[in-house]
Amino acid sequence: MLNQLEQLQKLAKDKHIENKKYFDKLKKKTPKNLDYVMQDLHDTEFKRTNCLNCANCCKTTGPLFTSADIERISKHLKQKPQQFIDQYLRIDEDKDYVLQSVPCTFLDDQNYCMIYDLRPKACREFPHTDRKKFQQIADLTLKNVAICPAAYNIVEEMKKKLPL
């Protein structure tokens, strides 16, 4: 898997300019059926992708924690929200709560999330390829194709299904 992830970073880097141009065009002239196509591509890809084989998102990036995430997770851990924040989180340059370090504290050695049912909204929605108004998250998607093999595959299929 490590070799595949190294290849993914190279592939994403090689495709970055092409993808950036594609997403710039997408923002200017959004196809009416974009969200339907993206939902279909997302569903198809995740029928064949098992995130437990990779977990690169959990190993290399930290999610944003909303106040609702903090409340829910701290309650489960039988902590006060401030205790949870002090133990696990920091404030980033955008003034958001994120993990103090990666890989994620809650990722076990089998790539399972120890708080899966309570995980942050950002984790539940990653890689955001089934999001409504997909064209609005082009910059995030450009980052995610270098992190997530499924996101890379979805974007490559998207360019074939929706040539601009």
Side-chain angles (χ1 to χ4, degrees):
M1 180 47 88
L2 188 59
N3 190 30
Q4 276 184 301
L5 292 173
E6 287 171 7
Q7 284 181 311
L8 176 67
Q9 287 191 328
K10 183 185 180 332
L11 286 170
K13 187 177 180 184
D14 291 348
K15 296 269 187 177
H16 183 78
I17 292 170
E18 175 186 316
N19 288 344
K20 176 116 176 66
K21 286 178 183 174
Y22 180 85
F23 282 118
D24 286 346
K25 286 181 189 174
L26 187 74
K27 285 184 208 172
K28 288 180 183 142
K29 190 172 190 273
T30 304
K32 289 194 184 340
N33 63 340
L34 176 63
D35 289 341
Y36 296 106
V37 171
M38 292 310 296
Q39 185 67 58
D40 183 53
L41 292 173
H42 176 91
D43 293 346
T44 301
E45 181 62 30
F46 280 98
K47 282 180 183 153
R48 64 177 172 247
T49 297
N50 181 350
C51 294
L52 293 174
N53 292 335
C54 178
N56 194 44
C57 52
C58 305
K59 293 173 183 174
T60 63
T61 61
L64 178 148
F65 284 74
T66 65
S67 54
D69 295 331
I70 294 167
E71 288 286 333
R72 185 179 61 256
I73 298 166
S74 64
K75 182 178 179 181
H76 172 76
L77 297 174
K78 297 179 175 40
Q79 291 183 317
K80 291 193 181 332
Q82 192 57 51
Q83 289 174 299
F84 177 78
I85 290 167
D86 293 343
Q87 186 171 355
Y88 298 106
L89 306 180
R90 66 177 176 83
I91 296 176
D92 72 2
E93 59 280 351
D94 297 324
K95 307 281 187 255
D96 292 319
Y97 282 111
V98 296
L99 289 170
Q100 289 177 7
S101 62
V102 290
C104 180
T105 309
F106 303 106
L107 184 69
D108 75 11
D109 59 358
Q110 300 294 309
N111 289 342
Y112 282 93
C113 175
M114 294 182 278
I115 58 167
Y116 187 79
D117 292 335
L118 308 161
R119 70 196 185 281
K121 182 177 187 264
C123 298
R124 278 183 269 132
E125 294 179 354
F126 190 86
H128 313 286
T129 47
D130 60 345
R131 187 156 150 185
K132 299 278 186 243
K133 298 182 181 173
F134 179 78
Q135 72 281 6
Q136 294 177 350
I137 60 161
D139 294 339
L140 179 61
T141 303
L142 283 170
K143 290 178 186 170
N144 290 345
V145 296
I147 297 165
C148 176
Y152 178 87
N153 293 340
I154 290 166
V155 168
E156 290 305 301
E157 284 302 309
M158 175 190 178
K159 292 186 297 189
K160 291 176 195 169
K161 284 228 172 160
L162 297 170
L164 299 175

